[in-house]
Amino acid sequence: MNAIEIQHLRVGYGDKVLLQDLNFSIATGEVFVILGGSGCGKSSLLKNLFGLYQPLAGDVLIDGMNITKAQGQERQNIMTRFGVMYQQGALFGSMTLLENVRLFMEEYTQLSRPEMDLLARCKLDLVGLLPYASYMPNEISGGMQKRAAIARAIALDPKILFLDEPSAGLDPITSADLDQTILDLAKNLGITFVIVSHELASIYAIANRIIMLDKESKSIIAQGDPRVLRDSSADPRVRQFFNRVMTKEVA
Ligand SMILES: Nc1ncnc2c1ncn2[C@@H]1O[C@H](COP(=O)(O)OP(=O)(O)O)[C@@H](O)[C@H]1O
Ligand SMILES: [Mg+2]
């Protein structure tokens, strides 16, 4: 079964259409990566997928349930199936890592404090941060902050995780650590990942499948295995994208 199905989706704000008639699906357990130039609407698409913004048209089905139409309890049910790490996905600076992870549990569960603490420690352990549970966000590195944000995003055991440019601003080694965390969570917990990314090394490391969005045509210009696209896409825009990023990486 597909974790997410996108049907005739139009992404934008008011009169401004960023992407139109998008149709694609994301399989359960897949690490799915969304590519595309700056400003083409990747973050906006992601926000449509997890229901923060209503799309201009079309439908998004999560585990078969239509998030664009659901209301009340049904919407609440869908919302608990996924976790989100935003592009500016900062932790709450005045709380420890443990408190950051516990926050959603306090809001959405009836667990006791010791139960929440135990679970929050488990989540921190999953991303390799258990020894830092009592640290404040500004006491740890940028890469650790990203991993802590992932621990917070999995606080409620989501089936799907949306990450917007998780490795932005990280050096290659820290970025590779984060990729490994993502792969571990996909493999060990069966979480479906939907990730916006620019980093080619990261894309090859984690992506089962990608789609590439194009600002001009407001549509998907490539989809599939990133290596196959790199080696055999007939579309010069696709080749240019992979080559541009590669040139930047070598430099
Ligand atoms: N809440 C919003 N209201 C109106 N326009 C927005 C909003 N969020 C983003 N935009 C605009 O939509 C376009 C695409 O933004 P975004 O989805 O962030 O692109 P990307 O993530 O691909 O860089 C940009 O021109 C941006 O200014
Ligand atoms: Mg963005």
Side-chain angles (χ1 to χ4, degrees):
M1 179 162 169
N2 286 327
I4 308 179
E5 282 185 42
I6 291 87
Q7 302 170 342
H8 306 295
L9 196 71
R10 189 187 304 147
V11 179
Y13 303 93
D15 292 341
K16 184 172 166 186
V17 176
L18 296 169
L19 298 162
Q20 57 196 2
D21 201 25
L22 298 185
N23 294 281
F24 61 97
S25 52
I26 300 171
T28 302
E30 179 167 55
V31 178
F32 187 89
V33 174
I34 298 170
L35 306 177
S38 178
C40 74
K42 301 179 297 297
S43 296
S44 301
L45 168 61
L46 212 60
K47 286 169 185 164
N48 279 180
L49 297 189
F50 63 77
L52 181 68
Y53 295 145
Q54 193 73 4
L56 295 179
D59 294 298
V60 176
L61 309 185
I62 295 197
D63 283 338
M65 295 180 294
N66 196 329
I67 193 168
T68 53
K69 303 220 161 63
Q71 289 176 348
Q73 189 57 47
E74 193 194 0
R75 187 176 175 81
Q76 207 57 30
N77 282 345
I78 304 174
M79 302 296 256
T80 56
R81 282 164 201 257
F82 57 75
V84 178
M85 189 174 108
Y86 293 97
Q87 193 164 0
Q88 290 84 16
L91 299 160
F92 293 101
S94 59
M95 298 180 189
T96 66
L97 301 193
L98 184 83
E99 287 164 346
N100 264 282
V101 177
R102 205 176 57 203
L103 193 67
F104 290 134
M105 298 178 188
E106 288 169 359
E107 222 166 307
Y108 291 101
T109 77
Q110 261 76 55
L111 296 168
S112 70
R113 180 68 173 264
E115 287 168 335
M116 287 193 282
D117 282 352
L118 186 66
L119 282 176
R121 284 178 194 284
C122 284
K123 308 299 177 190
L124 286 168
D125 200 13
L126 279 169
V127 300
L129 289 178
L130 184 54
Y132 300 90
S134 62
Y135 281 54
M136 305 301 282
N138 66 4
E139 294 174 322
I140 58 174
S141 70
M144 291 158 84
Q145 288 175 15
K146 295 288 171 77
R147 297 215 303 275
I150 290 179
R152 188 176 62 181
I154 59 172
L156 300 176
D157 298 322
K159 298 266 178 280
I160 305 170
L161 216 45
F162 294 97
L163 310 180
D164 197 348
E165 305 210 18
S167 47
L170 300 181
D171 64 73
I173 291 169
T174 311
S175 176
D177 281 349
L178 190 66
D179 289 343
Q180 193 54 53
T181 300
I182 291 167
L183 286 173
D184 288 346
L185 292 175
K187 183 164 156 256
N188 298 329
L189 300 182
I191 294 176
T192 304
F193 279 89
V194 185
I195 305 176
V196 172
S197 178
H198 278 305
E199 314 293 327
L200 201 61
S202 173
I203 291 158
Y204 293 137
I206 62 176
N208 297 123
R209 224 149 49 86
I210 65 113
I211 55 169
M212 188 178 294
L213 303 171
D214 174 58
K215 191 172 182 173
E216 212 163 306
S217 59
K218 300 181 168 53
S219 65
I220 298 170
I221 53 168
Q223 54 185 314
D225 181 312
R227 287 186 178 77
V228 172
L229 291 169
R230 173 195 62 192
D231 296 339
S232 56
S233 174
D235 190 327
R237 295 169 298 180
V238 178
R239 284 202 310 274
Q240 194 207 352
F241 182 91
F242 282 112
N243 287 320
R244 175 173 60 83
V245 183
M246 275 198 278
T247 314
K248 209 171 104 193
E249 266 191 347
V250 170

